[in-house]
Amino acid sequence: FFFHSFVSHRFIAKPCALGLKVQANGPQKAQPNAILEKVFTAITKHPDEKRLEGLSKQLDWDVRSIQRWFRQRRNQEKPSTLRKFCESMWRFTFYLYIFTYGVRFLKKTPWLWNTRQCWNGYPYQPLMPDLHYYYIVELSFYWSLMFSQFIDIKRKDFGIMFTHHIVAVTLITFSYVTNLTRVGTLTLCLHDVADIVLEAAKMANYCKCQKLSDLLFLTFAFVFIVSRLGIYPLWILNTTLFELYEALGNFPALWVFNTLLVILQILHCLWSYLIIKAAYKAFTKGKVAKDDRSDIESSSDEEETVPRSKTLHSPVATNGTGGANGTNGYLTGGTCSEEH
C-alpha cells in the first residue's frame, strides 16, 4: 500500500493537481535567524509575553515582528496544498474502488438482505475467495493508515483516529480469525461510503471550488450521520447484539466482538457531534466551517493577538498563508482558515 500510495501521489495525483491549478508552493518561509531558530527548536514554538519582550530587547526587533517570525516558522512545517490534495486523491480512489467492490460482492449474498443469514451454519461457513480478497485489502489499508499517520499530515484528532485504526484492525483481524466475516463485510462496506464524499469535498476545497466543496461537505455530513448513527446501530449492532445471541447463544467471542463494535459506535458519536457543529455553521453563516473529524492539522495556528507591551498594543493580523480559501486544508467557506 505504501508503494501504491507513492505511485499514485507521484504519477497520478500530482499531475491532476497541477492540471487543476492546485497551489504547489508551501507557506512563506521565515527569514533565517539563529537566535529565534534556537528558541523555536529547543524551547518553545509559542513564546509567551515575557519571552517575546526579552527577544525584542536582544534582537532590537518589535514584538509584532517576532510574533510574525514565529507564525511563519510554524507555518513552514505545514504541508503544502499540493501534498494534501495528493493524499486525499489517493484515499478517494481507494475508498471508491473498495466500496464499489464491496457492493458488487454483497449484492450477490443472502446476508445483505437478511442479516440472520450471517449466522446460518456458523462457524462452519466457507471462506469465499471474493470475501477473502475483500478482507485482506481492507486490513492492509487500515494497517497502512495506522503507520502512515505518523508521517502524513498531522491532525488535531490524531488520538481519536489512532484509536479508530486500532479498533478497525483488531475488529477485522478478530472477525476473520473467528469466521465472523459475513457481518464484517457489511460493516466494512457501510463505513467506506461516507469517506468517499469526504475526500471528494477536500479535493474540491484544495482546488478552491468552494461551492462544490460546501455541497459535498453537507452531503458527507448527511451520509455520515445516517450511516453511522442510523443504519449501523439498527443493522449491524442489532444483528450482533440480539440476532447472534438468539441464533448461537452465549460464547466468549461474542462479548469481545460486540465490545469492539460498541467502541466504534462511541467514536461515531464523537465525530457526529463535531460534524453537526460544522454543518450548523454552514446553514447559519452561509459557509461550511471545518470538518473536525479528519482534516484538522495539529500544526495549525489560530489568529493570535500580540501581548500588551510597551512595544505594541494592537492585535496582529492573521498570517496570509493561513486563511485564504482553504489553502491550508480546512473544509470551509470563502473565509476558511488553516486547520483526518
Side-chain angles (χ1 to χ4, degrees):
F1 267 93
F2 287 111
F3 173 75
H4 286 298
S5 176
F6 172 78
V7 171
S8 173
H9 277 56
R10 185 74 179 270
F11 300 106
I12 301 174
K14 188 174 181 179
C16 290
L18 295 176
L20 292 168
K21 300 185 178 356
V22 174
Q23 180 181 345
N25 59 311
Q28 179 183 358
K29 292 186 177 181
Q31 68 182 82
N33 187 289
I35 295 174
L36 295 180
E37 184 67 27
K38 185 176 180 180
V39 173
F40 182 87
T41 54
I43 303 176
T44 178
K45 297 180 180 181
H46 298 269
D48 56 19
E49 179 179 355
K50 185 177 179 180
R51 192 176 298 279
L52 285 171
E53 290 178 351
L55 290 170
S56 176
K57 293 175 181 178
Q58 184 178 358
L59 296 172
D60 196 26
W61 287 18
D62 60 52
V63 174
R64 179 173 183 174
S65 297
I66 296 173
Q67 265 208 329
R68 184 182 298 112
W69 188 94
F70 273 93
R71 186 178 297 111
Q72 289 176 344
R73 183 63 182 82
R74 289 192 296 268
N75 285 339
Q76 274 181 229
E77 299 188 343
K78 298 175 184 178
S80 67
T81 306
L82 177 63
R83 181 186 167 192
K84 289 185 284 189
F85 179 92
C86 292
E87 181 184 313
S88 288
M89 187 170 182
W90 153 242
R91 294 189 181 190
F92 170 81
T93 304
F94 174 81
Y95 286 128
L96 181 62
Y97 163 74
I98 202 64
F99 175 73
T100 303
Y101 179 90
V103 169
R104 290 181 61 187
F105 166 70
L106 285 170
K107 71 180 183 180
K108 299 179 291 185
T109 63
W111 61 86
L112 174 64
W113 316 109
N114 180 9
T115 53
R116 291 184 182 274
Q117 291 292 325
C118 290
W119 322 118
N120 256 9
Y122 181 84
Y124 306 106
Q125 296 171 340
L127 182 63
M128 295 176 285
D130 289 347
L131 190 154
H132 172 76
Y133 172 78
Y134 190 23
Y135 250 72
I136 293 302
V137 172
E138 287 275 19
L139 181 61
S140 302
F141 180 70
Y142 278 105
W143 269 114
S144 73
L145 287 184
M146 192 157 64
F147 287 111
S148 65
Q149 67 179 342
F150 292 100
I151 57 175
D152 281 344
I153 300 165
K154 195 78 176 287
R155 316 291 186 184
K156 283 183 180 176
D157 66 344
F158 177 87
I160 299 178
M161 286 301 295
F162 188 62
T163 303
H164 172 268
H165 296 332
I166 291 176
V167 173
V169 168
T170 306
L171 261 173
I172 295 171
T173 305
F174 183 81
S175 63
Y176 186 85
V177 170
T178 56
N179 208 26
L180 294 165
T181 50
R182 292 187 176 184
V183 73
T185 56
L186 298 178
T187 307
L188 290 170
C189 192
L190 182 65
H191 279 72
D192 289 333
V193 60
D195 289 313
I196 298 172
V197 189
L198 173 62
E199 299 303 335
K202 291 182 187 178
M203 289 191 293
N205 183 59
Y206 301 145
C207 294
K208 298 185 179 180
C209 301
Q210 208 56 57
K211 290 184 178 179
L212 177 60
S213 176
D214 293 350
L215 177 62
L216 287 171
F217 176 78
L218 294 176
T219 304
F220 158 73
F222 175 78
V223 172
F224 185 91
I225 291 168
V226 169
S227 61
R228 308 293 177 91
L229 297 188
I231 299 175
Y232 179 78
L234 294 176
W235 194 35
I236 304 298
L237 291 183
N238 176 66
T239 191
T240 59
L241 289 171
F242 303 109
E243 293 177 354
L244 172 56
Y245 183 81
E246 291 174 8
L248 303 172
N250 191 14
F251 59 101
L254 181 149
W255 295 103
V256 177
F257 191 54
N258 279 319
T259 298
L260 292 170
L261 290 173
V262 170
I263 292 173
L264 202 56
Q265 179 63 11
I266 292 171
L267 294 175
H268 294 163
C269 293
L270 291 174
W271 276 318
S272 295
Y273 169 72
L274 298 173
I275 292 168
I276 289 170
K277 283 205 310 183
Y280 175 76
K281 290 178 183 178
F283 285 107
T284 57
K285 297 183 179 180
K287 62 181 180 181
V288 171
K290 56 185 178 294
D291 166 30
D292 288 314
R293 188 188 72 120
S294 63
D295 195 36
I296 301 178
E297 294 152 21
S298 63
S299 59
S300 63
D301 299 315
E302 296 177 359
E303 181 179 357
E304 301 174 15
T305 57
V306 175
R308 299 189 181 194
S309 67
K310 295 178 182 178
T311 309
L312 184 67
H313 296 278
S314 61
V316 175
T318 49
N319 188 314
T321 62
N325 295 326
T327 298
N328 291 310
Y330 271 139
L331 288 176
T332 66
T335 57
C336 50
S337 59
E338 167 58 344
E339 87 176 87
H340 202 31

